[in-house]
Amino acid sequence: MRLKIILTGIGLALLALIALAFTVLMATDFNDYRDVVQQRMKAATGRDLVIAGNIDAAFSLSPRLTAKQVSFRNAPWSDIPQMASLNEIEAEIAVLPLLSGEIRINEVVLRGGQVVIETSKEGVGNWVHDQRRQNAPAPEESATTAGGLPKIDRMTIEDVTLLHRDGETGEQHTLAIKRFTAEDAPGAGIRVEIKGAWNERPLELAGTIGAPRQFTEGPLPLNLQGKLGEVALGLRGQIGDPTTFSDLSLDVTSSGPSLAALGDLFGIDLPNSTPYSLETRINGGGGTFTFADASAKVGGSDAAGNIVLDTASEVTGLTMTLASQRLDFKDLGLDEGGGTSASNSDGRLFSAEPWPLDWLAHTEGDMTWPVGTLVRGGASARDVAVALAIKNGAATLKYVKANIEGGTIDGKGTLKPGKNSPVLALTLDAKGIQSAPLLSMMGLEDVLTVGRVNMNMDVNGPATSLRDLMAGLNGKAGFATGAGQIRNTFAQLLLANLFGLLTPLDGNASRISCIAGNFDIRQGIATTRGTVVETPGATVVGTGNIDLRNERID
């Protein structure tokens, strides 16, 4: 009986306290607290908070306050006056903590307006307050944050535009938030979910992030999964110092319909490949990042290894140590399979398509990339190995090696800045190679089809396009082929008036038994020191010049 009386008394006391709280709230004009709220925000952040509209209250078991036309001052160095300018802020307040002088907010809703997140030219974020941080953060059970602001259990944002500006690079991005929610997730930080558009691309993202104080104090944990446009993205790990985006340790995953879709997100022109997936761990910061244990699959092609990217200086540093079991140009969207006749609309043998080499002047680094099987144009090479070094605007091909159908290729070269254009120098030695795979990989499968080929060359010329290279070519070259067929237009270029000795197969090609020759090349004019052409009907030895500039015999 006594316990029942005690419990009844406690219940009545609680009801009385709640009734008292409602009486206090209903008698309060919250506009009278406008200055108090603004002063408290000023003390906590060093910035001005302005509430230009009315502060209204709706009373229930969880009263809701609504403030209209609210703005928060931006950092003094910004040319945008307000960091946040919102049409409406609505807050649901917990009643009982008010009786002890604490303000605890169950939910805050932001509706309409714009929020600006930016960095200065020195890389300082506008979220870094103008005054020094307060002392140690408040304990978890406190109803206020470290700066003396109310603790918020849940936040909702509706129809708000987030503008991000990088003061160092001048880049600008826009996040149009349709709906965003963030709520306390005990033991995991804050659970977030967002739907909207990033730079006009549909965005959906969900997961957990760290507490608000970790956005400035760090480390900031992240565990997010979502989709941007057609690309799926995942982030898991932490950012040690979010204010400078440094000390990263993030596991990153991505997949999508093509590399072009991924490149579109970053403003990079990537090929329209088959579907891809990739994963890596990103470490570092301050402009230097390591992509450790990176792995990627594009269709049936793969690559794995480590990449170090240094963007802290004017010249981008790039070190790549990769390996592939299989690389197929068709998977990568790099194999159109058209050969020279399909790729040149003007009917010329050598393509005039410009080579994109501007990036060499802004990049330095090293790359090694062994490939088990390399496929292009339906042909394959095995045990391919490439090593490349880039420095001072020049590229050095340390070596390229491959096995093709029982034969071998061994080459090296350089690409250096020149007075008028970059200069490509290439040394290549091919022995006992089946010509079909080699010519197919070079895009020349419809020009010449013969048996095995021995070839050597030591040449150099302007590296602006294949046509320009051939027009300004210098050096020496020699070759010997087996039996097969040759495209008539190429045969006329190579053989001139000896062309009539060939045995026609059809209107486009003729039969040969073998071709062998040695050439001295100067400014696109190749002078043969002895060319042997054996056909089913004759063997001819001759000398002469080939004008590679105009693709004709002089």
Side-chain angles (χ1 to χ4, degrees), residues 394-407:
T396 300
L397 179 63
K398 297 180 179 179
Y399 58 80
V400 55
K401 300 179 180 180
N403 295 323
I404 301 179
E405 298 294 336

Side-chain angles (χ1 to χ4, degrees), residues 464-501:
T464 50
S465 71
L466 179 57
R467 186 172 297 176
D468 290 341
L469 175 65
M470 301 306 289
L473 199 66
N474 297 285
K476 298 179 184 297
F479 70 95
T481 75
Q485 66 183 50
I486 185 170
R487 196 170 104 199
N488 287 341
T489 53
F490 184 64
Q492 288 172 328
L493 171 64
L494 184 65
L495 304 176
N497 53 7
L498 300 180
F499 173 71
L501 297 175

Side-chain angles (χ1 to χ4, degrees), residues 188-516:
I190 298 174
R191 184 178 295 107
V192 298
E193 184 175 352
I194 184 171
K195 291 185 178 181
W198 172 260
N199 292 335
E200 301 183 352
R201 298 175 182 86
L203 170 66
E204 293 185 9
L205 196 64
T208 58
I209 59 176
R213 64 178 179 80
Q214 292 176 295
F215 279 83
T216 55
E217 298 176 8
L220 175 65
L222 299 171
N223 187 359
L224 300 170
Q225 299 288 330
K227 194 172 184 180
L228 178 56
E230 299 178 298
V231 175
L233 299 170
L235 292 174
R236 183 168 185 170
Q238 68 176 29
I239 303 174
D241 187 352
T243 63
T244 59
F245 200 67
S246 60
D247 194 18
L248 272 64
S249 181
L250 293 171
D251 290 326
V252 180
T253 61
S254 177
S255 61
S258 72
L259 291 173
L262 177 64
D264 183 56
L265 301 184
F266 301 98
I268 303 172
D269 188 15
L270 295 180
N272 188 25
S273 70
T274 55
Y276 79 92
S277 65
L278 63 85
E279 60 182 46
T280 187
R281 170 171 282 269
I282 302 179
N283 297 309
T288 302
F289 304 95
T290 298
F291 299 81
D293 299 324
S295 64
K297 290 188 176 181
V298 184
S301 299
D302 66 273
N306 298 293
I307 302 172
V308 178
L309 179 64
D310 185 357
T311 62
S313 58
E314 293 184 5
V315 177
T316 299
L318 180 63
T319 302
M320 301 172 59
T321 305
L322 301 176
S324 296
Q325 294 181 3
R326 178 184 176 87
L327 278 183
D328 190 330
F329 277 49
K330 188 174 183 180
D331 288 338
L332 302 177
L334 300 174
D335 190 352
E336 298 179 358
T340 56
S341 59
S343 61
N344 299 330
S345 59
D346 59 4
R348 297 279 297 273
L349 187 65
F350 304 124
S351 171
E353 183 178 354
W355 290 343
L357 300 175
D358 293 343
W359 58 274
L360 280 173
H362 310 287
T363 307
E364 289 191 356
D366 293 274
M367 180 191 76
T368 58
W369 198 335
V371 180
T373 301
L374 180 65
V375 182
R376 186 179 189 275
S380 63
R382 298 186 182 279
D383 301 324
V384 180
V386 178
L388 180 69
I390 304 171
K391 190 171 184 178
N392 297 328
T396 300
L397 179 63
K398 297 180 179 179
Y399 58 80
V400 55
K401 300 179 180 180
N403 295 323
I404 301 179
E405 298 294 336
T408 62
I409 287 181
D410 194 348
K412 60 183 179 180
T414 60
L415 179 59
K416 297 181 179 180
K419 184 177 181 180
N420 299 315
S421 65
V423 177
L424 174 67
L426 180 64
T427 301
L428 183 68
D429 188 17
K431 296 179 180 178
I433 294 177
Q434 284 285 354
S435 64
L438 175 62
L439 294 171
S440 181
M441 296 183 72
M442 295 172 64
L444 300 174
E445 67 273 14
D446 59 346
V447 172
L448 183 65
T449 303
V450 292
R452 292 190 178 273
V453 174
N454 292 328
M455 181 173 60
N456 61 80
M457 65 174 63
D458 186 354
V459 296
N460 63 80
T464 50
S465 71
L466 179 57
R467 186 172 297 176
D468 290 341
L469 175 65
M470 301 306 289
L473 199 66
N474 297 285
K476 298 179 184 297
F479 70 95
T481 75
Q485 66 183 50
I486 185 170
R487 196 170 104 199
N488 287 341
T489 53
F490 184 64
Q492 288 172 328
L493 171 64
L494 184 65
L495 304 176
N497 53 7
L498 300 180
F499 173 71
L501 297 175
L502 299 183
T503 303
L505 291 173
D506 55 39
N508 296 317
S510 298
R511 182 181 295 116
I512 58 173
S513 298
C514 74
I515 300 178

Side-chain angles (χ1 to χ4, degrees), residues 497-498 526-532 540-546 553-554:
N497 53 7
L498 300 180
T527 302
T528 176
R529 292 176 285 158
T531 300
V532 179
V540 179
V541 179
T543 61
N545 295 334
I546 298 177
I553 297 292
D554 285 340

